[in-house]
């Protein structure tokens, strides 16, 4: 769904799915989106452990199991992807930086 879409369609799909999620789930996604944008175009992903710590700092999750459950839902909706780098799982949102920026401007 998300991977094959570009521009306004991807933005609309992302916003629609996100609105159906809990406030904490929305916060988790926004946190990843902001981190990805701030990291620039060379962003390869954030490790699960680093992302878990960021989510805990913002009181979005209380356990790694909670975050894993939410990430599974994001994957089911194709909002996020993960890749392995030297045995470490890296999480990222598979859309163009410009679309991600537009999404955050509209949804925050």
């Amino acid at each position: 769904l998300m991977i094959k879409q570009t521009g306004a369609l991807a933005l609309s799909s992302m916003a629609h799915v996100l609105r159906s999620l809990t406030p904490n789930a929305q916060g988790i996604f926004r946190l990843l989106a902001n981190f990805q944008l701030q990291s620039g175009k060379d962003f390869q992903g954030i490790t699960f452990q680093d992302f878990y710590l960021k989510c805990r700092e913002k009181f979005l999750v209380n356990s790694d199991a909670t975050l894993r459950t939410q990430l599974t839902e994001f994957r089911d909706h194709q909002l996020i992807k993960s890749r392995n780098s030297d045995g470490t799982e890296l999480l990222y949102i598979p859309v163009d930086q410009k679309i991600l920026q537009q999404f955050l401007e509209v949804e925050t």
Side-chain angles (χ1 to χ4, degrees):
L1 177 70
M2 290 296 303
I3 309 308
K4 296 179 182 173
Q5 297 176 359
T6 58
L9 188 56
L11 188 60
S12 173
S13 294
M14 220 177 351
H16 177 73
V17 170
L18 201 65
R19 284 186 200 119
S20 71
L21 302 174
T22 67
N24 276 11
Q26 292 173 14
I28 291 167
F29 186 80
R30 284 191 186 100
L31 186 63
L32 181 57
N34 278 310
F35 184 78
Q36 185 167 322
L37 277 175
Q38 291 169 1
S39 297
K41 293 184 180 198
D42 295 330
F43 181 75
Q44 295 297 308
I46 182 171
T47 66
F48 173 83
Q49 189 62 33
D50 288 345
F51 190 53
Y52 169 66
L53 293 174
K54 288 181 179 301
C55 289
R56 286 233 7 171
E57 286 174 9
K58 301 283 186 187
F59 301 102
L60 295 170
V61 298
N62 59 6
S63 70
D64 67 344
T66 303
L67 180 57
R68 286 192 190 280
T69 299
Q70 193 55 62
L71 294 176
T72 298
E73 186 168 357
F74 291 162
R75 282 188 192 98
D76 289 348
H77 290 290
Q78 298 180 0
L79 290 174
I80 68 163
K81 288 191 111 185
S82 60
R83 69 175 121 235
N84 283 323
S85 175
D86 297 325
T88 302
E89 178 184 27
L90 299 176
L91 307 166
Y92 66 99
I93 300 170
V95 296
D96 184 73
Q97 295 279 90
K98 183 178 174 184
I99 293 170
L100 205 50
Q101 181 65 47
Q102 290 174 337
F103 169 77
L104 286 173
E105 288 171 1
V106 169
E107 293 298 314
T108 53

